[in-house]
Amino acid sequence: MKKTKVKKGHVLNEMLVDEETKRINWFPGHMNKAVKKIKEKIKLVDIVLEVRDARSPLITANTTITECFADKSRFIVINKSNLADPEAVKKWEEWFKLQDVPFMFLDCFDRSSLKKVIAESKRIVKQRRADSDAKGEKKKLRMMIMGLPNTGKSTIINQLANRNACKAADKPGHTRTQLWVKVDDDLEILDTPGVMPPKIEKYEHGLWLTAIHAIPDLIVTTETSACFIIEHLLKLKTEEFKEKYKFETLDLTLIEALDHIAKVRGCVQHKGESDYDRVYKIVLIDFRKGNLGLISFGLPPKY
């Protein structure tokens, strides 16, 4: 495993790219500590709310963590459906129906959907208590929310609590501590740091996770992330991508596309050379806002 230098004189200790297998891994020390804390506190909650990203519902799962929840009720929330390809979402919904785990695709800024998640979670817990003949009526629901970085966990809690109870940022790894949040008299939620799997099996999957910003851009550099997205969009030929940057055709090479975007967005240096660093940042921002089309990475296994 080799440390990768991304800037002159600057080596990121957290950045590990296996040059032989071309795998991207990001599992810094605070995540290992978070896993231990999650295992310790799982006994305190009634149900686990696992948050994934609708643009890649399978790759944004963390089986290393979910294996710890075998004895707990679980509800999978697949967030950011407003940024995903609707046709891909339909296929994923059919696939999840066969998995025997409650789930819901949603946009975390839609409070009506979040209310349905809470209502369903209460129903699941109530049924489990009835099945186990638990004595005494427990009124308060205690929920743990977990998932990969930047999947929207803190935003979901803030929407439910109707206040900024947790710090939310468009930056992977922002939450590093566990925090109990009282939503109301009937619901308490334990917010946990975003945790990546210790190992990402395929290099391509690492690029997907970087594209949707579950992994920081510095892990593979903004150049790698942006160029991957541009090449992906050139293959998909989305109208949004074409219109956003005023392309006449998408039958272009990567360099031709980069130079065109630089010209359209005013990223040209004084000698007429394209300022690629600025182009990379623009593309990443536009893509993650959904301005370049509704994009998904990967389809269910049967496809």
Side-chain angles (χ1 to χ4, degrees):
M1 202 70 84
K2 179 181 178 182
K3 289 179 182 177
T4 304
K5 184 179 288 187
V6 294
K7 290 183 180 179
K8 188 175 181 180
H10 185 188
V11 178
L12 294 181
N13 292 327
E14 298 175 350
M15 178 171 55
L16 297 174
V17 179
D18 192 318
E19 300 296 344
E20 295 180 0
T21 61
K22 290 294 288 184
R23 285 177 180 167
I24 298 168
N25 286 306
W26 181 52
F27 193 74
H30 79 271
M31 290 189 184
N32 190 38
K33 293 178 181 177
V35 171
K36 294 178 181 178
K37 289 289 185 181
I38 288 171
K39 290 179 179 179
E40 290 174 7
K41 294 189 176 182
I42 187 65
K43 60 186 177 183
L44 302 177
V45 303
D46 302 300
I47 189 169
V48 176
L49 199 68
E50 181 191 350
V51 184
R52 302 187 189 181
D53 192 306
R55 291 168 291 183
S56 193
L58 197 58
I59 302 306
T60 50
N62 188 343
T63 55
T64 304
I65 297 292
T66 54
E67 288 173 356
C68 305
F69 303 154
D71 297 329
K72 287 290 178 180
S73 298
R74 182 162 61 113
F75 194 111
I76 301 175
V77 170
I78 305 113
N79 188 27
K80 304 187 182 184
S81 60
N82 55 308
L83 299 176
D85 176 4
E87 292 302 315
V89 169
K90 289 179 182 178
K91 293 175 181 178
W92 278 110
E93 284 178 327
E94 292 302 315
W95 185 82
F96 272 103
K97 288 176 183 177
L98 303 174
Q99 306 310 307
D100 197 32
V101 178
F103 73 94
M104 182 182 294
F105 280 80
L106 54 75
D107 169 9
C108 66
F109 291 100
D110 179 7
R111 291 189 178 181
S112 62
S113 295
L114 291 178
K115 288 180 180 179
K116 291 178 182 178
V117 169
I118 298 304
E120 180 63 11
S121 296
K122 289 180 178 179
R123 186 198 67 77
I124 293 169
V125 171
K126 184 178 180 180
Q127 183 62 53
R128 178 156 184 164
R129 287 172 179 168
D131 292 343
S132 62
D133 294 324
K135 295 182 179 180
E137 182 66 23
K138 293 183 180 180
K139 294 183 178 180
K140 183 176 292 186
L141 175 68
R142 303 194 95 192
M143 172 187 291
M144 176 185 286
I145 187 166
M146 59 78 61
L148 268 60
N150 213 23
T151 49
K153 300 180 296 299
S154 295
T155 301
I156 288 174
I157 293 177
N158 290 338
Q159 288 290 101
L160 290 170
N162 199 28
R163 67 183 190 278
N164 291 324
C166 303
K167 291 182 180 180
D170 185 20
K171 177 183 177 182
H174 185 75
T175 302
R176 294 203 173 193
T177 59
Q178 299 188 4
L179 174 71
W180 280 105
V181 176
K182 182 178 179 181
V183 174
D184 53 38
D185 291 338
D186 299 323
L187 176 62
E188 287 184 354
I189 301 178
L190 179 61
D191 186 23
T192 64
V195 177
M196 293 294 299
K199 183 169 68 174
I200 301 168
E201 292 298 331
K202 295 183 179 180
Y203 179 69
E204 182 183 34
H205 294 168
L207 291 175
W208 294 356
L209 292 170
T210 305
I212 63 178
H213 216 191
I215 295 176
D217 294 320
L218 283 175
I219 300 302
V220 296
T221 75
T222 55
E223 176 184 359
T224 301
S225 301
C227 289
F228 166 71
I229 289 171
I230 292 171
E231 289 184 314
H232 188 70
L233 293 172
L234 286 173
K235 292 177 183 177
L236 293 179
K237 300 186 186 300
T238 68
E239 282 300 314
E240 292 88 348
F241 179 50
K242 185 176 181 179
E243 292 176 6
K244 182 68 176 178
Y245 299 132
K246 301 177 182 179
F247 286 108
E248 291 185 5
T249 177
L250 292 179
D251 294 322
L252 302 170
T253 65
L254 173 61
I255 294 298
E256 288 171 339
L258 284 168
D259 287 335
H260 176 83
I261 297 171
K263 183 178 180 180
V264 170
R265 297 301 297 268
C267 301
V268 180
Q269 298 172 329
H270 66 282
K271 293 182 179 180
E273 297 178 351
S274 298
D275 187 342
Y276 292 132
D277 286 337
R278 287 178 61 197
V279 173
Y280 300 149
K281 292 176 182 178
I282 288 171
V283 169
L284 290 172
I285 290 171
D286 285 340
F287 175 80
R288 289 164 182 164
K289 287 183 176 180
N291 294 336
L292 305 183
L294 302 179
I295 309 298
S296 292
F297 297 106
L299 290 173
K302 68 178 182 179
Y303 292 91

